[in-house]
Amino acid sequence: MIKLIASDLDGTLLLNGAQKLPEDIFPLIRRLKEMGILFAAASGRQYNNMKRLFAPVVSDMAFICENGAVAFWKDELLYENFFDRNLMMDILKAVEERKDTEFTCSTKDYHYIMPKTEEFRKLLQNEVKVDCKIISSADEITEPCVKMAVYDKEGVTDEALEYWKERFSDRCRVVTSGFAWIDFIPFGTNKANGVKKFQEMLRISPEECVVFGDEYNDIEMLQAVKYSFAMSHSKAGVRAEAHYETDRVQPVLEKLIAANGKMEEVV
């Protein structure tokens, strides 16, 4: 019997750049709760942004945020991991030097940004709808940072990824997180931390868990459970770490519900 389901958002539940969840996910989350199955959204996004996305069912689920740096359940912060401030400052300096590149510095409650263009500000505040603080100097970031991210509107190229890895992969994990984003994650921080926290709290085994993901920042989460699904459009390296593939999350959840939580009947 499955007890926990964790799903990535961008590229997994949110397909083709969507910034609004499909309506058919909400009744599925409610039904899963009735069956005693906890649904957790696991994303590089901030908590407040994720709550807005899942507003109709926010009290029925849990949240693994900022690539696993923080996790919430019933609006309670379960843990929080911090980013090294010296590393944060070095990444900001590198962003300043690299043309057409923007950054977000995530804290528990805000994304700090120093937008080079009005387009980037509008993207975060009006389209993605994150809670931002616009600053003119990195010295204004006074709260502990939990995640750094770099944005390139033209999309992450192999050259760009190699550039950032060469600069910082000896100090943190450097991974793609969607079409235009690269995330910088402290060593030891990943979405599997949140999955394992809920496994521990609820006394759930990996065999009682299902996860869905599509990017390299999902790999540890895919490795942490028996029933792991990579999206069919994922990169080959991501698909290789999952046991199964799917085009969409919802049909798998519908089959699981129909099978009364017995995943072996679904796969």
Side-chain angles (χ1 to χ4, degrees):
M1 172 75 178
I2 295 301
K3 300 292 181 62
L4 173 68
I5 297 170
S7 177
D8 171 55
L9 296 187
D10 295 282
T12 303
L13 276 176
L14 293 168
L15 296 173
N16 303 315
Q19 296 298 328
K20 183 179 179 181
L21 286 166
E23 292 292 326
D24 60 351
I25 191 63
F26 302 129
L28 295 175
I29 292 173
R30 293 189 189 100
R31 180 64 185 129
L32 290 169
K33 182 185 179 183
E34 292 172 358
M35 296 171 62
I37 302 173
L38 178 64
F39 182 89
S43 174
R45 293 184 179 229
Q46 68 177 184
Y47 180 47
N48 290 338
N49 175 259
M50 293 168 72
K51 284 200 299 182
R52 282 191 287 270
L53 284 170
F54 287 95
V57 291
V58 71
S59 62
D60 298 323
M61 56 181 294
F63 297 88
I64 301 167
C65 319
E66 306 291 2
N67 284 329
V70 293
F72 291 84
W73 189 30
K74 300 177 181 179
D75 217 25
E76 176 186 352
L77 176 65
L78 302 181
Y79 67 83
E80 185 175 11
N81 298 331
F82 300 127
F83 205 84
D84 179 77
R85 185 170 179 84
N86 290 330
L87 176 55
M88 176 194 82
M89 298 297 284
D90 289 344
I91 293 172
L92 296 187
K93 183 178 179 181
V95 170
E96 185 179 353
E97 296 169 352
R98 191 169 172 88
K99 184 181 178 183
D100 298 328
T101 301
E102 305 271 8
F103 80 88
T104 66
C105 172
S106 304
T107 66
K108 182 171 68 69
D109 297 312
Y110 297 101
H111 279 189
Y112 285 86
I113 60 173
M114 199 155 46
K116 296 177 181 178
T117 65
E118 181 68 4
E119 179 183 2
F120 182 63
R121 183 197 67 77
K122 288 180 178 179
L123 170 69
L124 289 187
Q125 293 188 317
N126 300 344
E127 294 183 38
V128 183
K129 297 182 179 178
V130 297
D131 292 342
C132 293
K133 281 191 176 182
I134 298 175
I135 58 175
S136 56
S137 167
D139 293 334
E140 296 176 51
I141 304 174
T142 57
E143 302 163 82
C145 176
V146 297
K147 190 196 76 176
M148 294 291 300
V150 165
Y151 171 82
D152 187 333
K153 70 176 182 179
E154 300 301 327
V156 177
T157 63
D158 290 341
E159 180 274 329
L161 181 59
E162 286 307 309
Y163 169 82
W164 291 110
K165 282 187 173 182
E166 184 176 338
R167 291 288 300 266
F168 298 109
S169 63
D170 61 330
R171 300 169 66 186
C172 65
R173 291 180 60 236
V174 182
V175 295
T176 54
S177 181
F179 170 75
W181 292 92
I182 293 176
D183 285 351
F184 301 80
I185 308 170
F187 291 128
T189 294
N190 53 67
K191 295 179 185 179
N193 291 351
V195 171
K196 291 174 182 177
K197 182 66 175 179
F198 289 115
Q199 288 173 341
E200 175 189 332
M201 290 175 59
L202 303 175
R203 298 181 181 180
I204 297 171
S205 70
E207 291 73 26
E208 296 174 298
C209 303
V210 182
V211 302
F212 299 88
D214 78 307
E215 271 288 356
Y216 282 99
N217 62 344
D218 297 315
I219 282 180
E220 291 86 356
M221 181 172 69
L222 293 170
Q223 295 171 333
V225 306
K226 179 177 180 179
Y227 299 104
S228 55
F229 287 80
M231 304 304 289
S232 56
H233 62 259
S234 302
K235 298 178 179 68
V238 178
R239 296 198 307 273
E241 298 298 335
H243 294 120
Y244 308 97
E245 292 182 25
T246 185
D247 293 329
R248 295 176 70 241
V249 173
Q250 293 91 313
V252 180
L253 299 185
E254 290 167 354
K255 292 176 182 178
L256 179 63
I257 290 169
N260 293 314
K262 297 175 183 177
M263 198 65 192
E264 61 272 16
E265 296 184 13
V266 176
V267 298

Coordinates of all heavy atoms in Angstrom, one line a residue, residues 41-45 63-71 79-81 146-147 185-186 188-195 217:
A41 N 4.3 18.1 -2.9 CA 4.9 18.8 -4.0 C 6.4 19.0 -3.7 O 6.8 19.5 -2.6 CB 4.2 20.1 -4.3
A42 N 7.3 18.6 -4.6 CA 8.7 18.7 -4.4 C 9.3 19.6 -5.6 O 9.4 19.1 -6.7 CB 9.4 17.3 -4.4
S43 N 9.8 20.8 -5.2 CA 10.2 21.7 -6.3 C 11.4 22.6 -5.8 O 11.7 22.7 -4.7 CB 9.0 22.6 -6.6 OG 9.3 23.6 -7.5
G44 N 12.0 23.2 -6.8 CA 12.9 24.2 -6.5 C 12.3 25.6 -6.2 O 13.0 26.5 -5.8
R45 N 10.9 25.6 -6.3 CA 10.2 26.8 -6.0 C 10.1 27.1 -4.5 O 10.3 26.2 -3.7 CB 8.8 26.8 -6.6 CG 8.8 26.7 -8.1 CD 7.3 26.8 -8.6 NE 7.3 26.8 -10.0 CZ 6.5 27.6 -10.8 NH1 5.8 28.5 -10.1 NH2 6.5 27.5 -12.1
F63 N 4.9 19.9 1.5 CA 5.7 20.7 0.5 C 7.2 20.5 0.8 O 7.6 20.7 2.0 CB 5.4 22.2 0.6 CG 4.0 22.5 0.2 CD1 3.0 22.5 1.2 CD2 3.6 22.8 -1.1 CE1 1.6 22.8 0.8 CE2 2.3 23.1 -1.4 CZ 1.3 23.1 -0.5
I64 N 7.9 20.1 -0.2 CA 9.4 20.1 -0.2 C 9.8 21.2 -1.1 O 9.6 21.1 -2.4 CB 9.9 18.7 -0.7 CG1 9.3 17.6 0.2 CG2 11.4 18.7 -0.7 CD1 9.5 16.2 -0.3
C65 N 10.5 22.2 -0.6 CA 10.7 23.4 -1.3 C 12.2 23.7 -1.5 O 13.1 23.1 -0.8 CB 10.1 24.6 -0.6 SG 8.5 24.3 0.1
E66 N 12.5 24.6 -2.5 CA 13.9 25.0 -2.7 C 14.9 23.8 -2.9 O 15.9 23.8 -2.3 CB 14.4 25.9 -1.5 CG 13.5 27.1 -1.2 CD 13.5 28.2 -2.3 OE1 14.1 28.0 -3.3 OE2 12.8 29.2 -2.1
N67 N 14.4 22.9 -3.7 CA 15.2 21.7 -4.0 C 15.5 20.9 -2.7 O 16.6 20.2 -2.7 CB 16.5 22.0 -4.7 CG 16.3 22.3 -6.2 OD1 15.4 21.8 -6.8 ND2 17.0 23.3 -6.7
G68 N 14.6 20.9 -1.8 CA 14.8 20.1 -0.6 C 15.5 20.8 0.6 O 15.8 20.2 1.6
A69 N 15.8 22.1 0.4 CA 16.4 22.9 1.5 C 15.5 23.1 2.6 O 15.9 23.3 3.8 CB 17.0 24.2 0.9
V70 N 14.2 23.2 2.4 CA 13.2 23.4 3.4 C 12.0 22.5 3.1 O 11.7 22.1 1.9 CB 12.7 24.8 3.5 CG1 13.8 25.7 4.0 CG2 12.1 25.3 2.2
A71 N 11.3 22.1 4.1 CA 10.0 21.3 4.0 C 9.0 21.7 5.0 O 9.3 22.1 6.1 CB 10.3 19.8 4.2
Y79 N 12.4 21.5 8.6 CA 13.8 21.7 8.7 C 14.2 22.8 7.7 O 13.4 23.2 6.8 CB 14.6 20.4 8.4 CG 14.4 19.9 7.0 CD1 15.2 20.4 6.0 CD2 13.5 18.9 6.7 CE1 15.1 20.0 4.7 CE2 13.4 18.5 5.3 CZ 14.2 19.0 4.4 OH 14.1 18.6 3.1
E80 N 15.4 23.3 7.8 CA 15.9 24.3 6.9 C 17.5 24.2 6.8 O 18.2 24.1 7.8 CB 15.6 25.7 7.5 CG 15.9 26.9 6.6 CD 15.4 28.2 7.2 OE1 15.0 28.2 8.4 OE2 15.5 29.2 6.5
N81 N 17.9 24.1 5.5 CA 19.4 24.0 5.3 C 19.8 25.3 4.7 O 19.1 25.9 3.9 CB 19.7 22.9 4.3 CG 19.3 21.5 4.9 OD1 19.3 21.3 6.1 ND2 19.0 20.6 4.0
V146 N 19.0 29.8 1.2 CA 18.8 28.4 1.1 C 19.1 27.8 -0.2 O 19.3 26.6 -0.4 CB 17.4 27.9 1.6 CG1 17.1 28.3 3.0 CG2 16.3 28.5 0.7
K147 N 19.1 28.7 -1.3 CA 19.3 28.2 -2.6 C 19.7 29.4 -3.5 O 19.1 30.5 -3.4 CB 18.1 27.5 -3.2 CG 18.4 26.7 -4.5 CD 17.1 26.4 -5.3 CE 16.5 27.6 -5.9 NZ 15.3 27.2 -6.7
I185 N 23.2 24.1 -5.4 CA 22.6 23.5 -4.3 C 23.7 23.0 -3.4 O 24.7 22.4 -3.8 CB 21.7 22.2 -4.7 CG1 20.7 22.6 -5.8 CG2 21.1 21.6 -3.5 CD1 20.0 21.5 -6.4
P186 N 23.6 23.3 -2.1 CA 24.7 22.8 -1.1 C 24.8 21.3 -1.2 O 23.9 20.6 -1.4 CB 24.2 23.3 0.2 CG 23.2 24.4 0.0 CD 22.6 24.1 -1.4
G188 N 24.8 17.7 -0.2 CA 24.0 17.1 0.8 C 22.5 17.6 0.9 O 21.7 17.0 1.6
T189 N 22.2 18.6 0.1 CA 20.8 19.1 0.1 C 20.2 18.6 -1.2 O 20.8 18.8 -2.3 CB 20.8 20.7 0.1 OG1 21.2 21.1 1.4 CG2 19.4 21.2 -0.1
N190 N 19.1 18.0 -1.2 CA 18.3 17.6 -2.3 C 16.9 17.2 -1.9 O 16.6 17.2 -0.8 CB 19.0 16.4 -3.0 CG 19.3 15.2 -2.0 OD1 18.3 14.6 -1.5 ND2 20.5 15.0 -1.7
K191 N 16.1 17.0 -2.9 CA 14.6 16.7 -2.7 C 14.4 15.4 -1.9 O 13.4 15.3 -1.2 CB 13.9 16.7 -4.0 CG 13.8 18.0 -4.7 CD 13.1 17.9 -6.0 CE 13.1 19.2 -6.8 NZ 12.4 19.1 -8.1
A192 N 15.4 14.5 -2.0 CA 15.3 13.3 -1.3 C 15.3 13.5 0.2 O 14.7 12.7 1.0 CB 16.4 12.3 -1.6
N193 N 15.9 14.6 0.7 CA 15.9 14.9 2.1 C 14.5 15.1 2.6 O 14.1 14.6 3.7 CB 16.7 16.2 2.4 CG 18.2 16.1 2.1 OD1 18.7 15.0 2.0 ND2 18.9 17.2 2.2
G194 N 13.6 15.8 1.8 CA 12.3 15.9 2.2 C 11.5 14.6 2.2 O 10.7 14.3 3.1
V195 N 11.7 13.8 1.2 CA 11.1 12.5 1.1 C 11.4 11.7 2.3 O 10.6 11.1 3.0 CB 11.5 11.8 -0.2 CG1 11.0 10.3 -0.2 CG2 10.9 12.5 -1.4
N217 N 17.9 17.8 -10.9 CA 17.7 18.1 -9.5 C 16.7 17.2 -8.8 O 16.3 17.3 -7.7 CB 17.3 19.5 -9.3 CG 16.0 19.9 -10.0 OD1 15.5 19.2 -10.8 ND2 15.5 21.1 -9.6

